[in-house]
Amino acid sequence: MTMQSVPGSSGYLDLFPERRMSYFGNHYVLGLTVVAGIGGLLFGYDTGVISGALLYIKDDFEVVKQSSFLQETIVSMALVGAIIGAASGGWINDVYGRKKATLLADIVFVAGALVMAAAPDPYVLILGRLLVGLGIGVASVTAPVYIAEASPSEVRGGLVSTNVLMITGGQFLSYLVNYAFTQVPGTWRWMLGVSAVPGVIQFGLMLFMPESPRWLFMNDRKVESIQIDHLSLAAEEERVMKRTVGYFDVFRSKEIRLAFIAGAGLQAFQQFTGINTVMYYSPTIVQMAGFRSNQLALLLSLIVAAMNAAGTVVGIYFIDHCGRKKLALSSLFGVIASLLILAISFFQQSSDPNGIYGWLAVIGLALYIAFFAPGMGPVPWTVNSEIYPQQYRGICGGMSATVNWISNLIVTQTFLSIAEAAGIGTTFLILAGIAVLAVIFVIVVVPETQGLTFSEVEQIWKEKAWGKNNNIESLLVQGSQS
């Protein structure tokens, strides 16, 4: 299957600006987005499913119940794998293409799911979590770039955000599956093993999907790529400028360095404002709030996950109508307020167990998700898919995703321990302080990229690095680096 007759791809609408495309304007591109986004579904399912499975893993393995460190390791070992997968995923994408990277991610993920389902002890379970993480890491780099490179600029944000919708949808599905298997023998084994199914489905569908047209063009496979003059001209410019780039080259080029700081900073703040403490540990947080029943904790967490998915749908609309920067800022202001509510509820909950403050904590969780999901959920991934030039897109995307996973690991591995040492109210207060720093970062560092072509975004960084009137100096500096 080729994309030779696909109108609505990047460049087509720039060549014919009167043809404004809507989110549903090209069913082929939307279908490609959904298939690629199954990687996001795997990402979301795995991050969500462990929160419920952990309740039953503790029941089966006494050593896990007695050790917060072992619980944190079971949760976070997938993140260790994701760090490795994301770090290598950029290179895999650049060398072998987006399609093969996705197929590889599926194979590794399915293997990890089967190992987890059959694990005889917590240590084999941890190995399975590592394998699953490797697949998630590669997918987290590949899907946003693959979607962005096939998307028209004016709906690129919404289409890339569809991958985030798949993530939040996967998290909701995981809570639904968790709740469905609460009364089934082998509870957590089914919860973890079911994740192999979407991996198999994506592998089968991806065999019939095309490679990214920009990747094909840049790798001298023009016959297979989109035959559109504008894309050819843009890609030819990129090809002329292209050279083999490495990790250190990202920091040698001033404009690329600025772009990476913005992209990686957004990814770090996405995690350090606490989203995955909420998604991994929401049943545990609900129990800390005074609701001791496993089933009730999972049911309340299911509602939180549903709000996460619904909020992402809202974000898909607003990201291309209001812009990335405004959406991120409004999201962060709501996150700060929600974290303060959570902090207050837990400070007061100890003096009023099972009272109004327990419910206030649940409301705080729901508000947190309602504000986070439309903005800080999709914005970091969307921005990172569009702010780097072609020759840096794979490596910078991989590096920024690695920052995301490292930040995720730090927060996840320390959340329960900090909550035990300082109190969960203080923990949420710390997260609120980090969210304030995130607001400042977005205002100062992150540019607005709404509706811009890749070339226009690249020009933003050149102007930030060298000034509007210093492009000649920029070219001279880059020439000396080549």
Side-chain angles (χ1 to χ4, degrees), residues 416-436:
L416 290 180
S417 299
I418 293 174
E420 287 178 1
I424 192 167
T426 301
T427 305
F428 283 123
L429 201 57
I430 293 170
L431 294 175
I434 294 172
V436 172

Side-chain angles (χ1 to χ4, degrees), residues 117-134:
D121 58 57
Y123 306 103
V124 175
L125 176 59
I126 288 170
L127 173 63
R129 293 284 293 162
L130 178 66
L131 291 172
V132 162
L134 288 170

Side-chain angles (χ1 to χ4, degrees), residues 250-268:
V250 173
F251 300 101
R252 291 193 184 105
S253 169
K254 187 174 181 181
E255 56 260 44
I256 303 303
R257 183 168 67 247
L258 291 174
F260 177 70
I261 289 171
L266 274 176
Q267 295 284 31

Side-chain angles (χ1 to χ4, degrees), residues 51-327:
S51 63
L54 188 61
L55 301 176
Y56 296 94
I57 291 169
K58 290 188 290 185
D59 290 341
D60 276 9
F61 301 121
E62 185 66 25
V63 64
V64 176
K65 181 183 291 185
Q66 299 300 321
S67 172
S68 291
F69 175 78
L70 199 51
Q71 292 174 42
E72 289 170 335
T73 302
I74 290 172
V75 172
S76 61
M77 189 52 64
L79 307 181
V80 174
I83 291 169
I84 300 169
S88 58
W91 176 80
I92 293 170
N93 270 266
D94 284 342
V95 175
Y96 297 105
R98 319 325 186 194
K99 180 175 178 176
K100 288 181 180 177
T102 302
L103 294 172
L104 175 63
D106 287 332
I107 292 170
V108 176
F109 188 94
V110 170
L114 296 177
V115 169
M116 290 191 299
D121 58 57
Y123 306 103
V124 175
L125 176 59
I126 288 170
L127 173 63
R129 293 284 293 162
L130 178 66
L131 291 172
V132 162
L134 288 170
I136 291 174
V138 175
S140 70
V141 176
T142 307
V145 171
Y146 182 53
I147 294 168
E149 290 183 342
S151 302
S153 59
E154 67 265 43
V155 292
R156 186 173 60 231
L159 289 170
V160 175
S161 295
T162 300
N163 184 58
V164 182
L165 175 61
M166 298 292 275
I167 294 173
T168 57
Q171 289 170 334
F172 174 73
L173 177 64
S174 72
Y175 283 111
L176 197 62
V177 169
N178 281 350
Y179 191 72
F181 282 115
T182 53
Q183 301 298 322
V184 176
T187 48
W188 63 269
R189 297 183 186 278
W190 284 103
M191 293 172 180
L192 299 176
V194 163
S195 62
V197 175
V200 172
I201 292 173
Q202 185 184 41
F203 185 89
L205 292 174
M206 202 68 198
L207 292 174
F208 300 96
M209 290 292 104
E211 181 53 83
S212 161
R214 282 179 175 266
W215 184 87
L216 288 171
F217 200 99
M218 293 299 295
N219 285 272
D220 297 320
R221 293 166 63 179
K222 300 178 184 179
V223 175
E224 300 170 66
S225 67
I226 297 178
Q227 301 302 305
I228 296 176
D229 290 341
H230 180 87
L231 176 60
S232 298
L233 289 172
E236 184 65 24
E237 290 175 5
E238 291 174 342
R239 188 187 65 78
V240 170
M241 295 173 61
K242 186 176 180 182
R243 59 190 173 87
T244 302
V245 297
Y247 293 103
F248 292 109
D249 292 310
V250 173
F251 300 101
R252 291 193 184 105
S253 169
K254 187 174 181 181
E255 56 260 44
I256 303 303
R257 183 168 67 247
L258 291 174
F260 177 70
I261 289 171
L266 274 176
Q267 295 284 31
F269 278 118
Q270 183 191 67
Q271 295 304 318
F272 282 116
T273 50
I275 180 58
N276 279 320
T277 63
V278 171
M279 297 314 300
Y280 294 153
Y281 294 116
S282 59
T284 304
I285 293 169
V286 168
Q287 289 187 333
M288 288 176 176
F291 302 95
R292 300 300 177 188
S293 165
N294 282 0
Q295 285 183 282
L296 179 59
L298 287 175
L299 180 59
L300 291 173
S301 299
L302 180 61
I303 296 171
V304 170
M307 292 188 64
N308 194 19
T312 307
V313 174
V314 175
I316 287 175
Y317 174 81
F318 281 109
I319 200 165
D320 283 317
H321 288 77
C322 297
R324 285 71 158 137
K325 191 166 183 173
K326 289 180 182 178
L327 192 58

Side-chain angles (χ1 to χ4, degrees), residues 306-381:
M307 292 188 64
N308 194 19
T312 307
V313 174
V314 175
I316 287 175
Y317 174 81
F318 281 109
I319 200 165
D320 283 317
H321 288 77
C322 297
R324 285 71 158 137
K325 191 166 183 173
K326 289 180 182 178
L327 192 58
L329 289 173
S330 60
S331 174
L332 284 167
F333 285 124
V335 163
I336 292 167
S338 305
L339 288 169
L340 291 175
I341 291 172
L342 278 164
I344 291 168
S345 66
F346 278 99
F347 281 134
Q348 298 297 323
Q349 194 265 341
S350 58
S351 62
D352 184 26
N354 300 314
I356 188 173
Y357 291 106
W359 285 105
L360 184 62
V362 174
I363 292 170
L365 279 177
L367 287 174
Y368 176 93
I369 291 297
F371 283 111
F372 186 97
M376 282 303 288
V379 168
W381 295 106

